[in-house]
């Protein structure tokens, strides 16, 4: 490059007055059209810099420095350089406190925005949008720095503000790309853990300071800023791990899920400090494995401002909450789950977002992420905002977020929160408070399509995962494939079973005979979906009491009822989910601000429930009849569903191998029944493999049979449609499992 540099003193009037006024006001939509190097003629360039607080500015080109001239009393500095092409330079800036700083001019860098990716983003199909939007450490034109990208199509100006520019919105104006509605800027020399936001000037002149929707790290409340994070290689699964994941999550595998709120499972320092991810890895994972659970489900861990939301009102969907440690600490926790062959599921919240000023609400001054019509965009139950699922970019945002957790961390699956609230336009609304769809119906067509696309793309790109819907209505085809007009989930929570069975168990045994159907009705629809039976956190909050306190009777009866109920649940078709604390019969309602009451395990009653769960999981995982045909009518048969007089339920669970089955009997009254006859499909020797009335479970010790090996021989008696029967004693408030161990009689 041929260049001749000379310094010019300008005594001209301010020729850039309008630009100076716009820059000073912090509102400049096209900064690259004015700032940075600009060709004046064939042999001269002008470098323009707007640097609030600067006293002197020089353009540094190798060993040469060219003083830039301040334009009047403004913060605009202009240097004229004789050269024939765009010069390579840095800026040497002095400030009033005599500090000086040399840096690259942000407006000397070309755009690196991927136009094809932005096309997909605007189309609603950019699966890895988090790789293109947000803040990313990168190298541009041989210089290391951070590329900031944000979608704000209706803003009149957007600036990057942060610790590195003293939060001045007049400093780092971003480049606007009208075709995609995306703003972009590369800033050199930034460091990890520096805080930043986007200062967005709306079309009405209002200035909104917004956190980055795609930030990988955010400040913990009360902080509201995004934090620069150098995204590293995260959890990569090898072929063996992928096979394990697929087997773990299969519909034909045993799935027993331990649901956990990471902030209140255990605490340290007299219950005032959260466990870190590394402490949870050392304590929670071994505990979960010791109890025999196959999966660990974490309540939402995306960054959220309000502890009382339990994570269900997230602001930073791509940021692991800093409550429990660093990003790397969470990666370590996930890796330890994989090492232990423990599936890990995350709660995911695509149904709504909170109104915090730094969040998504009115992001660029318009209703960008939420629906503009309050009848569709505001959730009356939670005072939150509902995503505009009809908007393609919002679909890209949500698809990419689901993909982020599954692809980058190797997570086993996502449990999608509040699906019913997404599906229905009239959800929790009175007449006149909702708007029908284009066909006059109440179905939210945009949300339906969004969920289908999330499931399609997540399964296609992450083989062996499980997508689970918390869906509380009779919506058809939640777990049906999308190509067969389903929503495409792998599993659905069976809220009907949960509600009916809990209603039944809460009744005094004296009155249960009149409500027998509440325990049997679930089998009418058991094969309509792939179900998970949930006893989740929702059943032990908001005045509902704990599970143990829902049970009727004196203390012994409460514990006996709960153990019998758990065993009935573990034998019922469907995968299992139990919220933390329920495994040892926590007496208090769950409180997110306190540790579980681990001291209760000093009592034999509570230890007995914990031992029951351990035994149930062991029997469940080792008995294919209890899980292999959960979704097939061939896997279940009632022996007697009509014995309401005695409140006894008896049925058979079958494995794929016809001779492999388990007989289950639940006696849900305190009455002990001796010489109780149960018809069985085959003659032979049957063994008691579970009895919830065992002394080690805090039971009364009534034995099903007097045989020390717990073996029962069949007899030639017609009962329950079979020619062979076993005669047993049924303990009160207990569930018993019998398994045929040989054909000998």
């Amino acid at each position: 490059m041929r260049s001749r540099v000379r310094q010019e003193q300008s005594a001209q009037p301010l020729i850039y007055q309008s630009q100076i006024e716009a820059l000073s006001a912090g509102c400049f939509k096209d900064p690259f059209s004015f700032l940075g190097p600009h060709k004046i003629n064939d042999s001269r360039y002008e470098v323009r810099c707007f640097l609030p607080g600067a006293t002197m500015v020089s353009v540094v080109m190798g060993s040469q420095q060219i003083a830039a001239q301040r334009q009047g009393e403004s913060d605009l500095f202009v240097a004229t350089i004789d050269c024939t092409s765009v010069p390579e330079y840095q800026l040497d800036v002095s400030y009033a406190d005599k500090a000086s700083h040399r840096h690259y001019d942000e407006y000397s860098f070309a755009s690196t925005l991927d136009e094809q990716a932005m096309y997909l983003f605007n189309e609603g199909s950019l699966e890895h949008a988090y790789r293109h939007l947000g803040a990313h450490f990168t190298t541009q034109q041989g210089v290391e720095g951070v590329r900031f990208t944000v979608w704000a199509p209706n803003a009149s100006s957007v600036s990057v503000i942060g610790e590195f520019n003293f939060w001045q919105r007049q400093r780092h104006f971003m480049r606007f790309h009208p075709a995609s509605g995306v703003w972009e800027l590369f800033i050199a020399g930034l460091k990890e853990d520096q805080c930043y936001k986007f200062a967005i000037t709306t079309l009405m002149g209002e200035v909104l300071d917004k956190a980055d929707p795609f930030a990988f790290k955010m400040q913990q409340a009360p902080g509201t800023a995004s934090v620069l994070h150098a995204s590293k290689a995260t959890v990569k699964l090898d072929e063996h791990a992928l096979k394990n994941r697929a087997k773990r999550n299969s519909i034909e595998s045993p799935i027993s899920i331990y649901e956990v709120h990471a902030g209140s499972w255990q605490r340290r320092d007299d219950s005032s400090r959260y466990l870190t991810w590394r402490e949870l890895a050392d304590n929670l994972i071994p505990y979960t494995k010791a109890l025999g659970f196959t999966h660990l489900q974490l309540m939402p861990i995306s960054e959220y401002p309000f502890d009382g939301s339990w994570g269900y009102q997230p602001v930073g969907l791509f940021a692991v909450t800093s409550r429990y440690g660093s990003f790397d600490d969470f990666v370590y926790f996930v890796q330890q789950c994989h090492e232990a062959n423990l599936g890990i599921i995350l709660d995911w919240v695509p149904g709504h977002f909170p109104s915090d000023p730094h969040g998504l609400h009115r992001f660029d001054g318009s209703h960008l992420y939420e629906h503009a019509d309050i009848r569709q965009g505001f959730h009356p139950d939670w005072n939150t905002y509902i995503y505009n699922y009809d908007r393609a970019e919002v679909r890209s945002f949500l698809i990419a977020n689901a993909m982020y957790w599954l692809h980058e961390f190797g997570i086993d699956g996502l449990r999608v929160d509040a699906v019913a609230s997404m599906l229905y336009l009239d959800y929790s609304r009175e007449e006149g408070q909702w708007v029908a769809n284009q066909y006059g119906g109440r179905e939210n067509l945009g949300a339906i399509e969004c969920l289908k696309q999330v499931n399609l793309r997540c399964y296609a790109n992450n083989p062996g995962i499980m997508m689970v819907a918390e869906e509380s209505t009779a919506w058809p085809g939640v777990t049906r494939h999308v190509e067969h007009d389903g929503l495409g989930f792998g599993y659905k929570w069976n809220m009907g079973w949960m509600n009916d069975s809990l209603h039944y168990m809460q009744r005094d045994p004296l009155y249960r005979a009149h409500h027998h159907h509440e325990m049997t009705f679930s089998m009418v629809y058991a094969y309509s979906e792939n179900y998970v039976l949930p006893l989740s956190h929702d059943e032990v909050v908001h005045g509902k009491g704990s599970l143990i306190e829902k049970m009727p009777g004196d203390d012994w009866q409460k514990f006996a009822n709960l153990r019998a109920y758990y065993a009935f649940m573990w034998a019922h078709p469907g995968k299992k989910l139990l919220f933390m604390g329920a495994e040892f019969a926590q007496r208090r309602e769950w409180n997110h601000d306190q540790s579980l009451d681990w001291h209760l395990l000093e009592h034999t009653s509570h230890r007995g429930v914990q031992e029951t769960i351990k035994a149930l999981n062991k029997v469940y995982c080792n008995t294919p009849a209890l899980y292999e045909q959960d979704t097939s009518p061939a896997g279940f048969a009632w022996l007697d569903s009509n014995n309401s007089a005695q409140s006894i339920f008896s049925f058979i669970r079958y494995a794929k191998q016809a001779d492999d089955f388990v007989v289950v009997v639940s006696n849900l009254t305190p009455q002990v029944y001796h010489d109780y006859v149960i018809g069985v499909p085959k003659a032979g020797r049957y063994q008691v493999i579970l009895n919830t009335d065992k002394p080690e479970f805090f039971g009364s010790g009534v034995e099903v049979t007097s045989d020390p090996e717990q073996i029962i021989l069949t007899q030639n008696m017609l009962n329950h449609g079979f020619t062979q029967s076993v005669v047993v004693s049924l303990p009160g408030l207990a569930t018993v499992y019998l398994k045929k161990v040989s054909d000998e009689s």
Side-chain angles (χ1 to χ4, degrees):
M1 177 186 74
R2 180 182 65 82
S3 68
R4 180 170 57 83
V5 181
R6 66 190 178 91
Q7 178 179 326
E8 292 190 352
Q9 300 291 335
S10 174
Q12 300 175 3
L14 297 180
I15 60 174
Y16 299 129
Q17 188 64 42
S18 62
Q19 291 92 336
I20 290 171
E21 289 175 359
L23 290 165
S24 300
C27 183
F28 207 93
K29 190 161 192 171
D30 192 9
F32 281 82
S33 68
F34 178 70
L35 298 175
H38 288 271
K39 191 174 184 178
I40 304 301
N41 55 42
D42 289 342
S43 61
R44 183 176 295 177
Y45 274 80
E46 194 171 74
V47 176
R48 307 171 194 139
C49 316
F50 192 79
L51 298 166
T55 56
M56 289 190 300
V57 178
S58 296
V59 176
V60 181
M61 300 172 58
S63 61
Q64 296 178 315
Q65 290 198 10
I66 304 93
Q69 303 303 309
R70 181 193 289 275
Q71 301 300 292
E73 299 299 318
S74 75
D75 290 314
L76 179 67
F77 293 81
V78 179
T80 305
I81 302 170
D82 286 343
C83 56
T84 58
S85 60
V86 177
E88 295 179 4
Y89 65 92
Q90 294 186 60
L91 300 176
D92 203 347
V93 185
S94 298
Y95 294 92
D97 60 1
K98 305 208 182 291
S100 62
H101 179 58
R102 181 171 293 186
H103 63 85
Y104 288 93
D105 184 0
E106 293 77 22
Y107 302 100
S108 67
F109 292 95
S111 172
T112 60
L113 193 69
D114 187 328
E115 292 184 4
Q116 179 61 27
M118 291 303 98
Y119 175 84
L120 296 175
F121 177 69
N122 295 136
E123 184 185 63
S125 60
L126 186 59
E127 296 173 349
H128 300 290
Y130 57 88
R131 296 178 181 172
H132 300 273
L133 289 104
H136 293 268
F137 282 88
T138 186
T139 301
Q140 193 163 328
Q141 296 169 213
V143 178
E144 293 182 352
V146 176
R147 186 191 73 230
F148 295 90
T149 315
V150 64
W151 178 55
N154 303 307
S156 63
S157 179
V158 180
S159 301
V160 182
I161 58 175
E163 296 175 322
F164 40 83
N165 64 14
F166 302 100
W167 304 95
Q168 297 178 100
R169 62 189 178 94
Q170 300 91 345
R171 177 66 183 87
H172 288 116
F173 296 95
M174 302 181 77
R175 174 195 277 116
F176 184 54
H177 295 264
S180 60
V182 166
W183 302 75
E184 172 215 16
L185 186 69
F186 175 81
I187 304 177
L190 301 187
K191 297 178 175 59
E192 258 201 296
D193 293 329
Q194 288 182 307
C195 294
Y196 72 98
K197 283 185 178 181
F198 297 113
I200 298 175
T201 304
T202 73
L203 292 174
M204 301 300 293
E206 182 183 5
V207 179
L208 308 173
D209 289 352
K210 292 292 188 177
D212 182 357
F214 286 88
F216 296 126
K217 187 175 180 180
M218 294 188 69
Q219 286 184 313
Q220 186 178 335
T224 58
S226 304
V227 180
L228 291 177
H229 174 74
S231 182
K232 305 176 181 66
T234 51
V235 181
K236 303 301 179 186
L237 303 182
D238 58 23
E239 186 176 350
H240 176 71
L242 287 171
K243 286 182 179 178
N244 275 349
R245 182 170 74 177
K247 182 179 180 181
R248 247 194 331 261
N249 301 332
S250 168
I251 198 72
E252 296 180 359
S253 294
I255 295 178
S256 181
I257 304 167
Y258 187 48
E259 185 191 23
V260 167
H261 177 256
S264 58
W265 180 71
Q266 280 185 4
R267 289 200 174 187
R268 293 288 186 268
D269 304 332
D270 195 27
S271 201
S272 63
R273 181 177 73 78
Y274 298 125
L275 293 186
T276 67
W277 288 120
R278 292 182 182 271
E279 289 172 325
L280 286 164
D282 293 341
N283 294 275
L284 174 59
I285 293 174
Y287 177 80
T288 306
K289 289 292 291 184
L291 287 184
F293 288 99
T294 63
H295 290 69
L296 180 64
Q297 179 172 312
L298 296 176
M299 290 167 69
I301 61 163
S302 295
E303 195 60 78
Y304 54 98
F306 177 46
D307 278 14
S309 78
W310 316 328
Y312 290 100
Q313 294 189 14
V315 167
L317 276 184
F318 289 87
V320 179
T321 178
S322 57
R323 286 166 173 80
Y324 316 122
S326 70
F327 177 94
D328 290 336
D329 291 336
F330 178 67
V331 169
Y332 173 81
F333 178 82
V334 175
Q335 288 172 329
Q336 293 306 113
C337 286
H338 291 161
E339 287 289 324
N341 195 24
L342 181 66
I344 177 168
I345 303 168
L346 301 183
D347 261 10
W348 186 53
V349 188
H352 61 136
F353 57 88
S355 59
D356 296 72
H358 64 291
L360 297 179
H361 175 50
R362 292 186 64 244
F363 189 77
D364 64 356
S366 68
H367 296 285
L368 191 62
Y369 284 88
E370 73 273 19
H371 203 288
D373 191 327
I374 194 171
R375 296 170 296 176
Q376 293 175 259
F378 184 74
H379 203 298
D381 285 352
W382 304 315
N383 292 321
T384 53
Y385 291 94
I386 301 169
Y387 287 101
N388 183 355
Y389 304 104
D390 293 311
R391 188 152 199 167
E393 294 88 352
V394 172
R395 290 200 301 273
S396 282
F397 175 75
L398 293 173
I399 290 169
N401 187 243
M403 286 285 292
Y404 174 68
W405 297 106
L406 297 167
H407 184 77
E408 301 298 329
F409 294 94
I411 299 297
D412 278 67
L414 301 176
R415 174 266 193 187
V416 183
D417 179 62
V419 171
S421 74
M422 298 172 65
L423 295 176
Y424 296 98
L425 293 165
D426 63 345
Y427 183 88
S428 197
R429 296 179 188 274
E430 301 295 331
E431 189 66 34
Q433 296 179 344
W434 60 281
V435 182
N437 64 34
Q438 65 194 76
Y439 303 108
R442 64 192 188 107
E443 299 82 11
N444 189 331
L445 302 180
I448 294 165
E449 183 59 28
C450 183
L451 288 170
K452 287 181 177 181
Q453 289 302 315
V454 165
N455 287 326
L456 269 176
R457 294 170 186 274
C458 286
Y459 273 111
N461 290 283
N462 305 279
I465 62 161
M466 57 192 295
M467 300 293 287
V468 184
E470 186 216 9
E471 204 286 311
S472 55
T473 72
W475 185 278
V478 172
T479 58
R480 193 186 306 144
H481 289 300
V482 171
E483 54 266 33
H484 296 139
D485 201 30
L487 293 182
F489 285 94
Y491 297 94
K492 170 184 171 173
W493 275 19
N494 193 336
M495 310 295 280
W497 171 87
M498 178 274 298
N499 282 310
D500 287 347
S501 61
L502 274 180
H503 286 160
Y504 178 89
M505 292 304 301
Q506 286 177 274
R507 301 182 191 280
D508 189 300
L510 185 64
Y511 305 110
R512 285 176 176 169
H514 306 294
H515 302 275
H516 200 72
H517 65 282
E518 291 181 329
M519 294 291 271
T520 61
F521 181 68
S522 58
M523 291 312 303
V524 172
Y525 58 87
Y527 312 112
S528 60
E529 304 279 4
N530 303 333
Y531 281 118
V532 173
L533 309 181
L535 292 176
S536 74
H537 67 276
D538 278 330
E539 313 322 316
V540 293
V541 290
H542 301 319
K544 296 177 185 176
S546 64
L547 291 183
I548 187 66
E549 293 301 337
K550 293 182 197 296
M551 300 297 114
D554 59 23
D555 227 32
W556 183 89
Q557 289 182 333
K558 285 180 183 293
F559 281 93
N561 269 301
L562 189 61
R563 294 192 308 270
Y565 179 44
Y566 284 162
F568 177 87
M569 169 183 174
W570 255 250
H572 190 286
K575 310 311 180 185
K576 325 302 174 189
L577 180 140
L578 191 65
F579 183 56
M580 65 180 197
E583 80 277 12
F584 61 80
Q586 165 120 349
R587 287 188 181 272
R588 291 185 302 127
E589 266 196 351
W590 169 57
N591 183 342
H592 69 275
D593 278 331
Q594 295 180 357
S595 172
L596 296 179
D597 294 332
W598 294 102
H599 63 275
L600 292 176
L601 288 171
E602 298 170 5
H603 304 283
T604 55
S605 54
H606 293 275
R607 284 201 310 275
V609 174
Q610 189 184 57
E611 288 299 318
T612 303
I613 294 296
K614 187 185 296 185
L616 281 170
N617 279 329
K618 183 177 180 180
V619 170
Y620 173 61
C621 291
N622 292 329
T623 310
L626 293 177
Y627 61 78
E628 215 172 44
Q629 297 200 91
D630 274 340
T631 60
S632 169
F636 178 94
W638 284 111
L639 285 171
D640 191 349
S641 62
N642 297 312
N643 190 354
S644 58
Q646 295 177 302
S647 295
I648 293 176
F649 304 87
S650 53
F651 54 88
I652 301 175
R653 294 297 312 275
Y654 289 96
K656 285 187 172 181
Q657 184 179 334
D659 201 39
D660 187 0
F661 58 87
V662 174
V663 176
V664 179
V665 187
S666 289
N667 173 17
L668 298 180
T669 69
Q671 178 67 45
V672 177
Y673 296 103
H674 295 290
D675 298 323
Y676 191 85
V677 181
I678 306 168
V680 293
K682 301 271 187 180
R685 295 159 56 87
Y686 286 71
Q687 186 171 36
V688 182
I689 60 172
L690 183 85
N691 173 8
T692 63
D693 198 46
K694 285 281 191 180
E696 56 264 37
F697 301 147
F698 190 61
S700 60
V702 172
E703 296 289 359
V704 178
T705 174
S706 59
D707 182 79
E709 300 295 324
Q710 296 293 288
I711 298 295
I712 308 166
L713 302 181
T714 56
Q715 300 179 36
N716 291 318
M717 288 191 292
L718 181 64
N719 203 34
H720 298 136
F722 296 114
T723 59
Q724 297 293 313
S725 298
V726 293
V727 180
V728 299
S729 293
L730 287 185
L733 297 176
T735 296
V736 171
Y737 296 176
L738 307 175
K739 181 175 174 55
K740 187 172 78 69
V741 291
S742 74
D743 292 329
E744 300 173 10
S745 57

